[in-house]
Amino acid sequence: MSANTSFLEVRGLTRRFGGLTAVNNVDLDLAEGEFLSIIGPNGAGKTTLFNLMTGHDDPDGGTVTFMGRDITRLSPERLAALGIARTFQHGRVFANLSVMDNVLVGAHVRFKAVRPAWPFPLNLLGPVAEVALALIRPPSVVAEEQRMREEALKILSRFGDRLLPRLDNPTYSLSYANRRRVEIGRALALGPKLLLLDEPTAGMNQTETAEMQALIGDLKKSGLTILLIEHKLDMVMQLSDRVVVMDNGTVIANGKPAEVRNDPAVIEAYLGHRRADRPEASVPEAAQ
Amino acid sequence: MSSWIDYTINGIIIGNIYALLAVGLALIFGVSRLINFAHGSVYVVGAYAGFVAVTQLGTPLPLTIVIVVAVGALLGLGIERFGLRPLQGYAHIAPLLATIGLSFVLDQLVQLTFSPDPRALPSELLERRFQVGSGTIGALDILIAAVGIGSAALLYYFLRFTRLGWAIRATAQDRDAAQQMGVDVNAVNRAVFAIASALGAVSGLLVGMYYNYIDPAMSFQATLKGVVAQVVGGVGNVPGAIAGSMLLGIVESYGIALFGTSYRNLFAFILLVLVLVLRPNGLFASRRQTPPEPMTGTFIAPSKPIQISYPVLIGIAVVMALLPLVLPNPYVLQTLTNAWLYGLLGLSLTLIAGTVGLISLGHAALLAIGGYASALLSLDLGMPVGASILLAGVIAAAIGTILVFPSFRLRGHYFSIATLAIGEIVSLVILNWESVTRGPIGVAGIPPLSIFGFELDTDRSIYWFALAVLVILAALQFRLLGSHLGRTLRAMRDDDIAARSYGIGLDRYKALAFSVGSFAAGVSGGITSHLYSYINHETFNSQLSILALTIVILGGMGNVTGAILGSVLLVGLPEVFRVAAEYRVLIYGLVLLLLVRFRPQGLLGTI
Ligand SMILES: Nc1ncnc2c1ncn2[C@@H]1O[C@H](COP(=O)(O)OP(=O)(O)OP(=O)(O)O)[C@@H](O)[C@H]1O
Ligand SMILES: [Mg+2]
């Protein structure tokens, strides 16, 4: 492996739920700026893999290394501070917060003026200082808030006029697709070095999916390193530099989109797991 | 040595009584995921039904038990009908709050019917004792053990071998799947509530006979003990509940032997908090398990809050400030002063329960800490009163946050139960720590309110002082909510998992909010102690915690203006109409029940 492939390095990652091994000895490498998609039938363990990489679940074995640093079992909040942002398969916007506030929360780790970085004994007073700064609001705090709001607006304008007219609406009042957009906006506000997207277009219609694909394509062009879980294979094939296929917790194929698409093991996995209720998840075109 | 046998037997007997309560709670939790806070009321009603049967009708024991079972079962059906069934699809915590409301109503009705005075529940079995080895055992002990074991056997048979029992177990395992398999989940709920409540009522009867003593105030303690036993054994786990009850009975009994009666409840609640924090699935659970769906305990109904602009709010504050000049009626001023002090408590709880979503059921403990701190600082250390109140706020914030910190990792109901227990612990520590708190005697002769050496000795000046403190703290809370902290705290409440993903350390922000909130409550308690000039461990009791929650839900969770409005309505109005104290509690219970059901977003809306 060359040096730049070790941007993210997963080794032997395993997670068992009772008798079921949801993620089984998974290895994964991601280079900086790469776009890697993870596909696989329902229950393959994709989301569990994301959970393990983002600190939402603890592995039973294996390691995750990010930019040369062992991040296995670090808490989600630490990982956020390191620049890892994710979205959730089933959508987890802050329902009672406005669109703007959702995105600003995404930028939480970048607010420095309200959280002075003090050395050890003083840092215990950090929460007190944070309350005081929130109440007093010296110019540095006001300026930072202003700057973040402007950035949030810029991020939201990536979605055209989908979200801009609804800045102050609580997100529970938004359409499903808009809530997913908010979630991606929130992830971008973190200023991520690594972005993990779990089925960002689930439940979207064709136009919305196309829009989302264009947006993700833009993100890729901007040089962002992206891990994508997606069942819509057209999108996967067009966007990805590389595709990893999982089945029953293990990686069964790993390669360029064109290679993976014709891999017999992949076709077998998909046919073996065909599900009537998830048509878009059932069969890659090559298998048809 | 013989006394140890007695203590052990006593512990097992008490354990049997707790088991009758805890098994019911476990059954109910199993099928409906509800911790039934009205269970203690069933127990009290059972005791009083037995009392009426024995003293008025002169029924023999078997018939008395049948009557009590019937009354308990009927009451259980009623609780299911009003506390649970209408709230399906509401927030998980909604039925819990509804059963708290119901228990207030039921206890108060019992009290209004039978007076709050204790009654004797005579039993011919009481005097009979048999020699067992070097100890003795009473006939009543044997009866209690027989009822306990008999009900356990019946229940086992019923759950294992009858159709309905099978349906109950299926529902407890997977409600949705059971429903799809054609199980009538509502019928299951009704059956479970009837059975559980019958057991609870019998438990009340037996306790009444055992101590030859019943009073309406037993209700809350009974609920707590049942909950402790259940949590210790693993929530929703029927055999666990029995084991937990025995353990609790024996721990209490030995505790009494070693330290004296006044420590008994302290042990129970410390056991509860320890189990919650260290083994939240109960002592007997072994599986490491991530809950599939987070059981959030927040009670935030999405709503469009009614926006009241700052100029209008300032206008109202000015009008309120001028009020004593136009309406110098001392009664009105005292009533409103009281409302402002409850408003401070409301500010505190609306931040913690509303904005952060940590539903605290022990908030009165913060008042108690603040009240005692300010009283003792001024009385024993000679600190000037204004400064002592300020410091009381800081002390309440510090102690409150430290006590509750280990519970921050708990979710939903579990956090609420932990705060309830912590509240009780604080009150029991105050009772027992005589060298500092003067124990049961209370603190008398607390110096009157004064600031900068000026004594506030008129109704007017006290009114202005309380209003000023309220306005200042409310303004600060508005400013806090408008800062990055406002959205951070609310984000954490709406979805703690997503909040962590974006770098929000939950403990840090929960502690921060809890301290800020506790400060207001501590100040309120401090001022109150100087106004009353006498406080004891019951001045700030658990009813106050529930009143605070009702105030906050009435105003709208997280809503600063709402908290103040809620306290004016709930504290001020009954005063204006001169409603008698016992009816007030009834009203609070009803208001809580109705709010949860019909207007969870409160009057001004959740924020
Ligand atoms: N918390 C959990 N407890 C028990 N089993 C779990 C848990 N989370 C996931 N599983 C199981 O692990 C397996 C992998 O689930 P996972 O959600 O990772 O699949 P996935 O590949 O994301 O599927 P999908 O495409 O449907 O989203 C499934 O069989 C699932 O039931
Ligand atoms: Mg998934």
Side-chain angles (χ1 to χ4, degrees), chain A residues 15-18 20-23 38-51 57 89-90 198-199 229-231 246 248-249 275 278 281, chain B residues 289-293:
Chain A
R15 173 69 163 118
R16 296 182 202 94
F17 294 111
L20 175 95
T21 308
V23 171
I38 301 175
I39 63 170
N42 295 128
K46 308 179 293 293
T47 299
T48 307
L49 180 63
F50 263 27
N51 286 345
D57 198 355
Q89 179 172 2
H90 298 292
D198 196 345
E199 298 197 32
I229 294 177
E230 188 52 71
H231 281 299
M246 286 182 73
N248 286 326
R275 296 265 167 92
R278 288 288 294 270
Chain B
Q289 199 178 25
T290 43
E293 272 296 304

Side-chain angles (χ1 to χ4, degrees), chain A residues 191-214:
Chain A
K193 298 191 175 78
L194 171 63
L195 178 63
L196 294 88
L197 301 169
D198 196 345
E199 298 197 32
T201 67
M204 287 191 175
N205 66 28
Q206 278 192 347
T207 340
E208 291 163 345
T209 304
E211 242 178 78
M212 184 58 75
Q213 182 173 342

Side-chain angles (χ1 to χ4, degrees), chain A residues 138-156:
Chain A
S140 62
V141 168
V142 175
E144 184 179 57
E145 176 84 13
Q146 191 52 39
R147 205 172 61 241
M148 294 295 184
R149 280 180 186 272
E150 280 158 18
E151 264 184 51
L153 275 181
K154 243 188 247 147
I155 289 171
L156 287 169

Side-chain angles (χ1 to χ4, degrees), chain B residues 422-434:
Chain B
I422 293 168
E424 294 299 302
I425 290 173
V426 166
S427 148
L428 290 165
V429 166
I430 290 174
L431 177 65
N432 286 302
W433 195 10
E434 291 194 23

Side-chain angles (χ1 to χ4, degrees), chain B residues 312-328:
Chain B
V312 174
L313 287 175
I314 293 169
I316 295 174
V318 169
V319 170
M320 284 299 156
L322 296 177
L323 189 75
L325 302 177
V326 265
L327 189 79

Side-chain angles (χ1 to χ4, degrees), chain A:
Chain A
M1 293 278 159
S2 63
N4 71 340
T5 54
S6 65
F7 186 67
L8 180 77
E9 200 178 285
V10 174
R11 288 290 172 273
L13 209 57
T14 300
R15 173 69 163 118
R16 296 182 202 94
F17 294 111
L20 175 95
T21 308
V23 171
N24 190 0
N25 205 9
V26 166
D27 291 347
L28 206 69
D29 285 283
L30 188 62
E32 190 163 6
E34 198 181 12
F35 192 116
L36 174 66
S37 292
I38 301 175
I39 63 170
N42 295 128
K46 308 179 293 293
T47 299
T48 307
L49 180 63
F50 263 27
N51 286 345
L52 294 173
M53 292 194 288
T54 52
H56 290 276
D57 198 355
D58 285 338
D60 293 304
T63 56
V64 185
T65 315
F66 177 60
M67 297 174 76
R69 175 174 177 176
D70 184 0
I71 59 162
T72 327
R73 294 191 179 82
L74 284 194
S75 64
E77 50 268 35
R78 293 279 300 282
L79 295 176
L82 293 179
I84 299 179
R86 76 171 285 189
T87 66
F88 295 88
Q89 179 172 2
H90 298 292
R92 283 183 169 273
V93 288
F94 303 118
N96 292 286
L97 263 61
S98 66
V99 170
M100 183 52 134
D101 278 350
N102 264 278
V103 177
L104 286 172
V105 170
H108 180 84
V109 293
R110 293 168 55 223
F111 278 77
K112 305 287 184 208
V114 286
R115 272 190 300 279
W118 287 337
F120 166 62
L122 271 181
N123 66 354
L124 295 177
L125 290 175
V128 180
E130 191 169 348
V131 173
L133 287 168
L135 292 176
I136 300 165
R137 297 193 204 155
S140 62
V141 168
V142 175
E144 184 179 57
E145 176 84 13
Q146 191 52 39
R147 205 172 61 241
M148 294 295 184
R149 280 180 186 272
E150 280 158 18
E151 264 184 51
L153 275 181
K154 243 188 247 147
I155 289 171
L156 287 169
S157 61
R158 282 176 172 270
F159 301 94
D161 59 357
R162 297 285 194 182
L163 296 175
L164 285 179
R166 303 183 172 83
L167 287 181
D168 294 323
N169 296 15
T171 46
Y172 70 75
S173 69
L174 299 183
S175 70
Y176 183 76
N178 267 342
R179 270 182 270 166
R180 307 225 63 144
R181 294 185 182 106
V182 170
E183 227 186 311
I184 290 177
R186 183 176 70 186
L188 293 177
L190 181 115
K193 298 191 175 78
L194 171 63
L195 178 63
L196 294 88
L197 301 169
D198 196 345
E199 298 197 32
T201 67
M204 287 191 175
N205 66 28
Q206 278 192 347
T207 340
E208 291 163 345
T209 304
E211 242 178 78
M212 184 58 75
Q213 182 173 342
L215 174 82
I216 297 175
D218 285 348
L219 295 177
K220 176 186 174 180
K221 267 184 228 128
S222 74
L224 190 54
T225 315
I226 298 176
L227 263 177
L228 170 74
I229 294 177
E230 188 52 71
H231 281 299
K232 290 177 183 160
L233 292 169
D234 278 343
M235 181 171 161
V236 168
M237 296 303 160
Q238 287 170 28
L239 286 172
S240 312
D241 297 324
R242 209 150 49 85
V243 177
V244 162
V245 188
M246 286 182 73
D247 187 27
N248 286 326
T250 48
V251 173
I252 56 165
N254 178 352
K256 296 241 176 320
E259 302 164 11
V260 164
R261 162 196 295 251
N262 297 315
D263 189 319
V266 175
I267 297 165
E268 161 68 24
Y270 268 88
L271 286 175
H273 288 271
R274 192 204 294 264
R275 296 265 167 92
D277 56 342
R278 288 288 294 270
E280 89 267 36
S282 50
V283 191
E285 307 90 303
Q288 284 162 347

